[in-house]
Amino acid sequence: MKIAIYGYGNLGRGVEAAVNNAYDMELVGIFTRRAPEEVKSVLGTPVYSAKDILDFKDKVDALIICGGSATDLPKMTPALAEHFNVIDSFDTHAKIGEHFENTDAAAKRGGKVAVISVGWDPGMFSLARIYSYCILPEGKSNTFWGRGVSQGHSDAIRRIEGVLDARQYTVPIEETLNKVRNGDTTDFTARELHKRECYVVAEEGADKARIEKEIKEMPNYFADYDTTVTFITAEEMKANHSALPHGGFVIRTGTTGSGEMKHSIEYSLKLDSNPEFTGSVLTAFARAAVKLNARGEMGCKTAFDIAPADLSPLSGEELRHTML
Amino acid sequence: MKIAIYGYGNLGRGVEAAVNNAYDMELVGIFTRRAPEEVKSVLGTPVYSAKDILDFKDKVDALIICGGSATDLPKMTPALAEHFNVIDSFDTHAKIGEHFENTDAAAKRGGKVAVISVGWDPGMFSLARIYSYCILPEGKSNTFWGRGVSQGHSDAIRRIEGVLDARQYTVPIEETLNKVRNGDTTDFTARELHKRECYVVAEEGADKARIEKEIKEMPNYFADYDTTVTFITAEEMKANHSALPHGGFVIRTGTTGSGEMKHSIEYSLKLDSNPEFTGSVLTAFARAAVKLNARGEMGCKTAFDIAPADLSPLSGEELRHTML
């Protein structure tokens, strides 16, 4: 399978590593909107200009799009889905419906398969939610994120005057996690579910009290949570907060029969590197996109629409023998 | 969807409860090899003789077969798959290949869909294994079972002379579980992974020392494990060991990129009632069998071959909106 990467930031590098590790895949190239000669690939993959992508229409079986959900993917994915089997990690939950429709129409016009919203959430956590809902319909699901770095919340802090750099960790509240595990079906508040830890590098002479107040009172991002703000030096930031760990828990508890028998289903991830893991998930779904299109399927799909066997390079017989 | 149940023991009762709770399903009947008038259904479902099953060929969308894996299912599932969409919980891992081939041929002859080996292991645990393998190919998976009742091991004890009743709990070794969670990739021995707790009701005057020795030295079942044997009264057995709880853990740890970034994926189940939960899983896959066959598919499938959306009564749009 010939795979290409469109966009080369943290996620693009994660995909490059994952494709490189897949024995049934070959990496054709990286496509960038920057000047190709200025982009150096970690593994020596050829780098091309995004403008030349259509020249590769017949040389690429699947294109993994590594752009941002805010402005890149809503345009890129439908535009490219007409010409390539594509995979993206679109994660703006509220706009998935619109993104799906746009991408579906484009992919159908081109006779291609597009798989959107693939990663760990949406993605693997969505799968944990759908399976546990289907096999335990009488129940309640909860998702906890973290402990991990939220890029969106870190960016929001960086936009405050006097802030040079920031890293925000989302942290599940252990006590609530245990209540949920034990079958408590309360509708917990945002504050009861997660807390937020912020590490901030301030400009010299900046008003730290004002920065802390602005963070803690920021609507949607922080006001509804117990938030701690710790000022650190740029050196401490580099030494202790350069990694992008993440993870979390999807827990469903419920009952069967007359309601006497209780069950709990828990799926959890603990990730050293959010972009490398997400890149690995995108790569597995790229394999599925190629297989589906080869069987004549077309249009937009999510993780919900793909049989797990299609993620694997192994045959049905091998899978039944080794994993069933 | 019109569903019928073939075989009415603990599992059949679990399926009856699950189908009864599914708003898109109707329970047509229970088919038994016993005299129908002697079988009383928990929820008042009509009971018919298994001999009359073919009279219901056009009245049933899917037949959930609730028989034993040792002798029932290898015959029943292929025989019925020619006439009905069928679902079973065949769990003899070593013979799944043969069972698959036999059932596949029969289902294809009849133009039906058969889904075999559905439950929690094989079934949900198999799904945890395949997804985690596909998204984290460089790594190692471990499955732990328990704490829960193993019917096979309980039966083995009951066959010993002087034993009136027995219940065997499989228990994961906590220390090994934590090592695996922390990325230890040692190939642990059976003894390091699980221990076995046996509760035995002996005949009056039976030689308890001999019974305990026979249990602990039984090859395959107990000899390779640390096993404890506790003699209890029939009253204690009834009061404390009537339930059939089970559960366990599928844990995969691995690395991405150059191997520096470590990740762990954990799926766990904690079940008050093994048969009720298994019945609930079978019911969700029965829905998928009907949907697949309605789209023109036929032949034998496992959980690996079924897209999660097909397990749900919700539309694709509803699923994307609520669970993605």
Side-chain angles (χ1 to χ4, degrees), chain B residues 63-99:
Chain B
L63 183 61
I64 302 179
I65 309 177
C66 302
S69 293
T71 55
D72 293 343
L73 297 177
K75 288 178 188 168
M76 282 179 184
T77 305
L80 292 164
E82 196 168 338
H83 306 285
F84 297 92
N85 295 316
V86 296
I87 300 87
D88 82 16
S89 59
F90 186 77
D91 66 359
T92 311
H93 286 262
K95 293 185 177 170
I96 284 176
E98 187 185 341
H99 188 55

Side-chain angles (χ1 to χ4, degrees), chain A residues 215-275:
Chain A
I215 294 172
K216 289 186 171 175
E217 295 180 353
M218 198 184 296
N220 303 318
Y221 285 86
F222 295 102
D224 298 335
Y225 301 85
D226 288 337
T227 300
T228 58
V229 177
T230 307
F231 289 94
I232 59 174
T233 64
E235 292 70 37
E236 287 171 321
M237 180 64 81
K238 200 180 169 196
N240 305 326
H241 303 281
S242 285
L244 294 168
H246 221 312
F249 307 81
V250 176
I251 301 170
R252 186 170 182 87
T253 58
T255 59
T256 52
S258 55
E260 280 168 31
M261 294 295 165
K262 294 186 169 61
H263 310 282
S264 86
I265 305 169
E266 179 166 339
Y267 181 79
S268 65
L269 295 172
K270 206 175 152 202
L271 315 174
D272 271 1
S273 164
N274 186 348

Side-chain angles (χ1 to χ4, degrees), chain A residues 126 135 256 266 268 276 280 324, chain B residues 126 135 256 268 276 280 324:
Chain A
S126 316
I135 62 177
T256 52
E266 179 166 339
S268 65
E276 282 196 9
S280 196
L324 199 63
Chain B
S126 317
I135 63 177
T256 53
S268 65
E276 282 197 9
S280 196
L324 198 64

